[in-house]
Amino acid sequence: MKVIVSNGELVIPADVKLEVKGRAVRCKGPRGTLTKDFRHLAVDMFMFDNEKGQKCFKVEAHFSKRKQLASIRTVVSHVRNLITGTTKGFLYKLRCVYAHFPVNINIEQKGALLEIRNFLGEKRVRKVQMLPGVTVSRCEVVKDQLIVTGNCIENVSRSSALINQSCLVRGLDIRKFLDGVYVSEKGLATVEK
């Protein structure tokens, strides 16, 4: 069944500037600028002022079926992540786990490149390049912990996944050989007090 019109709204904070041009959204905040393209979706996007005088972002879909209606909330969630990224940023924490051979980690190029050595005693050096806008650092408090930070949640989570996937155990029983680098915590880079 087609729904005549359906919409989703999002209130924009005062310190964020959001621009919508041809279904491409540009979000500018204190931490930087992020852009996202939604041209592949058949929805209308525009900015307006609500009754309280706040800036709002609205997504509308006309005569849509179930699949197109699902994209409304998806767009609102993506824009909410853009706003969170440009105001607070995202942070993933990873832990290095090993039973016998200690994993050595070197951070090169000011946090843009990660080198993993001595994984399961192997001589091969695993190099993981961080995605644009993402930096990796070593935790000062906890031993064998990495902190991946950035503004774009997609790049931060993908960089963490690349680190995790570079240390997969192959050809051995993964129930016994639990060595690797695993995501232990996900959160915001700056926490409000």
Side-chain angles (χ1 to χ4, degrees), residues 3-6 42 44 60-64:
V3 179
I4 293 172
V5 64
S6 183
D44 296 329
E60 276 187 355
H62 297 274
F63 301 105
S64 299

Side-chain angles (χ1 to χ4, degrees), residues 139-179:
C139 183
E140 303 298 326
V141 182
V142 183
K143 184 178 177 270
D144 294 325
Q145 181 164 300
L146 297 171
I147 297 172
V148 180
T149 54
N151 293 346
C152 181
I153 191 169
E154 292 177 7
N155 287 358
V156 172
S157 59
R158 278 180 56 206
S159 296
S160 301
L162 288 171
I163 294 169
N164 174 255
Q165 289 172 354
S166 70
C167 295
L168 294 179
V169 177
R170 307 213 184 263
L172 298 168
D173 189 357
I174 58 170
R175 296 170 297 180
K176 172 72 175 166
F177 295 90
L178 299 169
D179 296 34

Side-chain angles (χ1 to χ4, degrees), residues 79-183:
V79 173
R80 187 178 291 120
N81 282 337
L82 293 179
I83 292 167
T84 306
T86 54
T87 54
K88 299 171 188 166
F90 293 99
L91 176 139
Y92 276 44
K93 291 182 181 176
L94 296 95
R95 291 294 300 268
C96 300
V97 178
Y98 51 86
H100 186 270
F101 295 103
V103 177
N104 297 334
I105 290 178
N106 293 338
I107 297 166
E108 305 285 331
Q109 299 174 8
K110 298 178 184 173
L113 180 72
L114 183 79
E115 290 182 351
I116 301 166
R117 299 171 191 273
N118 202 34
F119 176 71
L120 289 177
E122 294 175 6
K123 297 291 181 197
R124 182 165 87 85
V125 178
R126 291 162 163 81
K127 293 183 180 181
V128 183
Q129 187 73 42
M130 296 295 109
L131 293 166
V134 180
T135 56
V136 62
S137 61
R138 190 176 271 115
C139 183
E140 303 298 326
V141 182
V142 183
K143 184 178 177 270
D144 294 325
Q145 181 164 300
L146 297 171
I147 297 172
V148 180
T149 54
N151 293 346
C152 181
I153 191 169
E154 292 177 7
N155 287 358
V156 172
S157 59
R158 278 180 56 206
S159 296
S160 301
L162 288 171
I163 294 169
N164 174 255
Q165 289 172 354
S166 70
C167 295
L168 294 179
V169 177
R170 307 213 184 263
L172 298 168
D173 189 357
I174 58 170
R175 296 170 297 180
K176 172 72 175 166
F177 295 90
L178 299 169
D179 296 34
V181 183
Y182 299 101
V183 176

Side-chain angles (χ1 to χ4, degrees), residues 15-49:
D15 58 343
V16 173
K17 187 182 178 196
L18 200 75
E19 296 172 8
V20 180
K21 188 174 180 182
R23 287 184 298 196
V25 179
R26 188 165 181 256
C27 184
K28 199 170 189 178
R31 288 177 62 98
T33 306
L34 291 174
T35 56
K36 190 117 177 103
D37 194 0
F38 298 105
R39 289 194 179 105
H40 62 285
L41 296 173
V43 293
D44 296 329
M45 300 178 195
F46 50 90
M47 302 290 296
F48 73 100
D49 293 329

